[in-house]
Amino acid sequence: MEFFFKPDGIALIGATSNPLKGGNAILKNLKKGFKSGIYPVNPKYKQIEDLTCYASIREIPHKVDIAIVFVPGKFVNPMISQCAEKGIKGIIIESSGFAESGREGLQMQKKLAAAAEKAGIRLWGPNCMGVVDIAHKKILSFVSPSIWDTLLAGDVSLIVQSGMLSGAFLIDTMSHQTMGISKVCSIGNKMDVNECEILEYLIQDNSTRVIGLYLESFASGRKFIDICSQSTKPIVLLKGGKSEKGARAAMGHTASMAGNNEIVKGAMAQAGVTQADDFQHMMDICRSLSAYPENFSRDSKKGRIAVLTYTGGAGIVSSDFIDTKNNVEMAELSPSSRDLLEKIFPEWMPVANPIDLWPAVERNGVETAYGTAIKAVCRDPYVDGILIHAFAGGFALNLDIESLAAEAGSARKPLFCWLLGERESAMAFQIRCNKVKVPVFREIFRAVECMNAVFSRQHVTTGQENAAAGDSAGTGAFPVCLPETEIPETSELTILDEFHAKKILASAEIPVTEEDIAQFPETAAQTALKIGFPIVMKGLVPDMVHKTESGLVSLNIRSKQEVEEEFKRLNTDMKHKGNILVQQQIKIDVELIAGLVNDPQFGPCVMLGIGGIMAEILDDALFRVAPITLEQGIEMTNKLKNQKLLNGFRGAAKADREKTADILVKIGRMGYDHPEIREIDINPLVISRGTPIVVDASIIREKNK
């Protein structure tokens, strides 16, 4: 990737003197960033912008590392052979009209990729805005040259799967002067160079501290999470195409296929990636993590926040938002903090968090009130972070944000700011905050969201620890040695029925119910007597997964006569075309659903959720990319929303989370070792007297895979 970011010689194919065209904007940007080595190519001109213009690549008499192409798509393919002859290493295609435009464009893109691969040339794009490197003032893009007037270098780099959006990010951010940017990499259709390669480059880039991505698809989901898991830099992702309609829009935009959003959420959580909900949210999280990228040592599991406010109402609203987040909570002030604050508070006012400072301001002035408060919370061992409320202009509340930031910085406590005020004064205050790395927000909820993101940051994730241990699969060491699990050769079914599926699960030492197939009413009765009443009887029809809806499950059978009667009924309902299963009946405390899906982007992924007939209604499920560790399996059980069900609801025994996690580990390993398994569905995975056991299951395999 180095030659794309630090090229020695650039040819611009499609350069023009027309100031309204992108080919002219690219040339002007190149001239401002590079002192030499710029070679316009267009047979219509002899000279553009005081530079010699060449009729073709072949005529350039100097070394050229990369070519930027800004001509209609149908003229791009012939350029490949010329670039190969010239020894060009890479081409940035900023033109559109390829796969995003339909079938004809897709075919043209495929031919272009094949020609470049044969020639040994890397392709960036097409349908993109190229590279903007603000840290080194190198802009290889048709973004408006007016951006040079507002350039603000920072340490956040972006990878954006959208052309115009990358330019919009730049113009919006630069014009407000409230956040600096290191690099913006617009990758468009990513026919060759993709987010994984650029991500690896930026992780090693000294001028990048935080990486934000807007993606509509993953070139390789598994490789992406492997890279993120090993990153020492915070990574923030905004995934487009999460909804069904959004996924269809993504197909039209960059010919991308958006995956299952729940799987994406699980994979990103597993890899330590912070997910954003919209573009501004992504930028806000990025600048917050840029200010505070490291993990903060603290005694509590959550970030304990002190709120310094000048209005009680805003303090209450801040508390409400903090109370809804998983990784932050309101701090309980220490006695020493209370003693110090009592010195500036009037006698009638009790000290509490949120710390309402307006009476102290009236009594002592802004500098003393806020200065004393910041000292108190920075020295307080029960406070991990600070949210300060500020007002710019209009009345006497002019905060010395520089001194407050220095105090918090010395104590290694993240300081965030919520701001109201007059327009010009507020803008000036935001710029001051940016200079001292204090994230400032105009909405309280967004400030709290970003604090939550900072305190959820794991400097070394479980995935990173696994990668450091040298796991060859790249997704985590596997602590259990499984026996070889074979798909039964006797079955040609795509969907393996419950009996065969549970035989496979049992071979992997996953606990399943005691059961057997019965061919006759008499053998069914014998099996029932052996297992012990009450028992369950099920009709197994080829290629049928959902038996209950078809009336093929009978519970609480308590006698030999009932067994024989139920055998005949099930056989009749199945038209004598299936098998009858006689099964141990289990006491049910909680019904879970567990399983595995083979996702096209991430491969085999483990799932755990609240199961039974309520599975779809409760919508409480998590995914992780397989294989997973026992710790990751326990984390999945701990993150289900309905924790009361697992903790012994209404006198039931508490679920054994480690044994439940062990089942998830084994399911994940089976899916990882056997690519022919497309899906494992265990519903329900019953918690009975605290212990998990598989009551029903199916396995779907792909034939001949």
Side-chain angles (χ1 to χ4, degrees):
M1 294 290 100
E2 188 77 5
F3 54 83
F4 281 118
F5 293 93
K6 299 176 183 178
D8 185 8
I10 305 169
L12 174 56
I13 302 171
T16 176
S17 62
N18 186 339
L20 301 177
K21 299 288 187 179
N24 184 258
I26 296 171
L27 191 57
K28 287 178 178 175
N29 286 330
L30 291 174
K31 280 191 67 180
K32 288 187 177 184
F34 295 86
K35 294 180 180 179
S36 61
I38 306 166
Y39 310 110
V41 177
N42 191 327
K44 296 179 181 180
Y45 300 95
K46 297 294 182 182
Q47 193 176 61
I48 307 176
E49 299 289 338
D50 299 324
L51 294 172
T52 300
C53 188
Y54 299 91
S56 71
I57 292 282
R58 295 186 182 97
E59 294 185 13
I60 300 174
H62 308 286
K63 179 186 176 184
V64 178
D65 269 350
I66 67 168
I68 300 174
V69 175
F70 200 77
V71 297
K74 61 183 178 180
F75 298 120
V76 176
N77 208 318
M79 304 293 177
I80 298 294
S81 59
Q82 295 182 33
C83 289
E85 290 175 22
K86 187 65 184 171
I88 289 176
K89 300 174 184 176
I91 301 175
I92 300 176
I93 306 171
E94 300 187 17
S95 319
S96 56
F98 292 89
E100 80 284 353
S101 64
R103 183 178 299 177
E104 186 177 337
L106 176 61
Q107 292 303 315
M108 187 163 55
Q109 181 171 305
K110 287 181 178 179
K111 290 179 181 179
L112 184 60
E117 184 178 8
K118 185 177 179 180
I121 296 175
R122 300 304 310 273
L123 297 181
W124 181 305
N127 186 32
C128 71
M129 289 189 71
V131 183
V132 177
D133 184 348
I134 295 173
H136 300 97
K137 293 184 168 55
K138 310 290 185 186
I139 298 183
L140 292 76
S141 172
F142 62 87
V143 64
S144 172
S146 64
I147 195 174
W148 287 87
D149 298 330
T150 55
L151 285 185
L152 181 63
D155 49 23
V156 173
S157 288
L158 304 174
I159 302 173
V160 185
Q161 193 181 344
S162 173
M164 294 308 294
L165 184 60
S166 60
F169 272 136
L170 277 170
I171 293 170
D172 180 77
T173 304
M174 297 294 101
S175 63
H176 289 88
Q177 291 286 291
T178 55
M179 176 182 174
I181 297 289
S182 177
K183 295 175 178 64
V184 178
C185 305
S186 169
I187 55 177
N189 295 12
K190 52 184 182 179
M191 72 164 76
D192 177 19
V193 173
N194 60 54
E195 68 275 4
C196 292
E197 295 170 285
I198 300 173
L199 185 59
E200 286 179 311
Y201 180 87
L202 294 176
I203 288 171
Q204 301 301 320
D205 178 39
N206 291 331
S207 60
T208 297
R209 197 175 189 183
V210 178
I211 303 163
L213 302 100
Y214 167 71
L215 296 177
E216 293 156 7
S217 67
F218 298 93
S220 172
R222 188 168 284 269
K223 182 177 180 182
F224 182 83
I225 65 166
D226 282 350
I227 294 168
C228 294
S229 294
Q230 297 174 58
S231 173
T232 56
K233 296 179 180 179
I235 297 171
V236 183
L237 171 70
L238 171 60
K239 174 67 170 63
K242 289 184 275 194
S243 66
E244 184 180 347
K245 291 183 179 179
R248 288 202 296 268
M251 286 290 291
H253 184 44
T254 56
S256 303
M257 184 169 288
N260 182 316
N261 183 49
E262 294 305 312
I263 291 177
V264 172
K265 283 168 59 178
M268 295 308 114
Q270 186 177 357
V273 175
T274 303
Q275 283 204 265
D277 297 323
D278 63 30
F279 300 115
Q280 200 60 54
H281 189 205
M282 182 182 82
M283 300 300 281
D284 285 342
I285 293 175
C286 282
R287 64 190 175 97
S288 299
L289 290 171
S290 168
Y292 311 112
E294 67 272 20
N295 203 22
F296 294 93
S297 59
R298 56 188 185 276
D299 297 327
S300 66
K301 293 180 180 179
K302 295 185 177 183
R304 299 164 297 186
I305 307 303
V307 177
L308 277 57
T309 185
Y310 57 88
T311 163
I316 293 169
V317 171
S318 297
S319 301
D320 289 341
F321 281 122
I322 289 170
D323 191 50
T324 65
K325 298 301 176 183
N326 294 326
N327 301 297
V328 290
E329 62 185 4
M330 291 295 288
E332 291 290 335
L333 300 178
S334 67
S336 59
S337 292
R338 294 175 181 276
D339 290 344
L340 184 57
L341 289 167
E342 282 176 355
K343 294 178 180 179
I344 60 169
F345 273 36
E347 292 181 1
W348 55 265
M349 186 173 187
V351 174
N353 184 27
I355 304 168
D356 188 350
L357 289 169
W358 187 248
V361 169
E362 290 184 323
R363 186 182 184 200
N364 306 279
V366 174
E367 186 175 345
T368 298
Y370 273 82
T372 302
I374 199 77
K375 282 184 173 65
V377 296
C378 283
R379 296 171 185 174
D380 195 320
Y382 304 139
V383 172
D384 302 309
I386 305 154
L387 174 58
I388 193 166
H389 295 174
F391 190 94
F395 62 89
L397 195 65
N398 298 313
L399 299 186
D400 184 355
I401 193 64
E402 292 80 4
S403 296
L404 299 175
E407 189 79 37
S410 297
R412 293 193 73 253
K413 295 189 178 182
L415 175 64
F416 288 73
C417 181
W418 170 63
L419 175 67
L420 289 180
E422 296 174 345
R423 179 177 176 180
E424 297 302 323
S425 298
M427 178 64 73
F429 187 82
Q430 284 179 277
I431 293 172
R432 287 170 57 199
C433 285
N434 180 60
K435 289 180 179 178
V436 293
K437 284 283 192 179
V438 173
V440 59
F441 304 89
R442 303 307 301 273
E443 303 92 4
I444 293 175
F445 80 92
R446 184 54 60 83
V448 174
E449 281 184 341
C450 291
M451 295 184 85
N452 190 62
V454 165
F455 280 98
S456 67
R457 165 73 181 149
Q458 296 296 316
H459 183 65
V460 180
T461 66
T462 303
Q464 288 172 318
E465 292 168 349
N466 294 333
D471 177 59
S472 60
T475 50
F478 184 67
V480 179
C481 225
L482 289 182
E484 197 65 29
T485 54
E486 296 290 343
I487 301 294
E489 295 179 3
T490 56
S491 175
E492 292 298 325
L493 298 175
T494 300
I495 301 174
L496 300 179
D497 63 28
E498 176 180 345
F499 180 71
H500 287 105
K502 286 157 84 175
K503 285 287 186 184
I504 294 172
L505 296 175
S507 74
E509 300 181 358
I510 293 173
V512 301
T513 51
E514 185 180 354
E515 60 193 37
D516 204 353
I517 294 290
Q519 301 293 334
F520 306 101
E522 296 79 14
T523 54
Q526 290 171 7
T527 301
L529 289 169
K530 178 184 175 184
I531 292 173
F533 293 106
I535 56 103
V536 178
M537 294 180 69
K538 299 178 180 179
L540 306 182
V541 179
D543 291 334
M544 179 185 287
V545 174
H546 303 292
K547 298 180 286 293
T548 303
E549 291 86 340
S550 301
L552 298 180
V553 177
S554 295
L555 305 173
N556 296 310
I557 298 173
R558 297 179 177 274
S559 69
K560 178 183 176 184
Q561 181 181 349
E562 287 182 51
V563 170
E564 293 175 349
E565 290 174 355
E566 197 58 33
F567 186 97
K568 293 175 183 178
R569 183 191 73 79
L570 290 171
N571 228 348
T572 300
D573 289 351
M574 294 189 297
K575 299 179 181 178
H576 303 277
K577 292 183 179 179
N579 291 314
I580 293 176
L581 185 67
V582 180
Q583 183 182 98
Q584 170 190 15
Q585 182 160 314
I586 299 294
K587 178 185 181 297
I588 299 174
D589 294 329
V590 179
E591 290 185 87
L592 301 177
I593 181 170
L596 178 131
V597 292
N598 214 321
D599 183 74
Q601 296 188 100
F602 295 97
C605 297
V606 178
M607 184 267 287
L608 176 68
I610 300 299
I613 59 173
M614 300 295 287
E616 294 181 8
I617 297 173
L618 293 176
D619 190 26
D620 187 3
L622 297 166
F623 290 83
R624 294 294 184 267
V625 178
I628 65 170
T629 63
L630 188 63
E631 291 75 15
Q632 289 171 328
I634 293 172
E635 178 246 0
M636 289 179 72
T637 67
N638 291 340
K639 286 200 171 182
L640 289 174
K641 290 179 285 189
N642 292 276
Q643 287 295 308
K644 287 183 179 180
L645 293 176
L646 299 176
N647 290 333
F649 186 65
R650 291 192 174 182
K654 188 175 181 180
D656 189 321
R657 293 169 189 262
E658 187 167 324
K659 287 183 179 179
T660 304
D662 183 63
I663 291 173
L664 300 178
V665 169
K666 290 171 178 174
I667 292 170
R669 194 75 223 188
M670 287 175 64
Y672 187 78
D673 288 343
H674 294 275
E676 70 269 26
I677 297 177
R678 193 180 74 191
E679 183 178 335
I680 298 174
D681 184 55
I682 301 174
N683 188 19
L685 173 65
V686 163
I687 304 297
S688 179
R689 297 180 175 88
T691 301
I693 184 169
V694 177
V695 168
D696 199 350
S698 65
I699 293 178
I700 301 176
R701 69 167 190 173
E702 294 187 38
K703 295 180 180 180
N704 305 317
K705 184 170 181 181

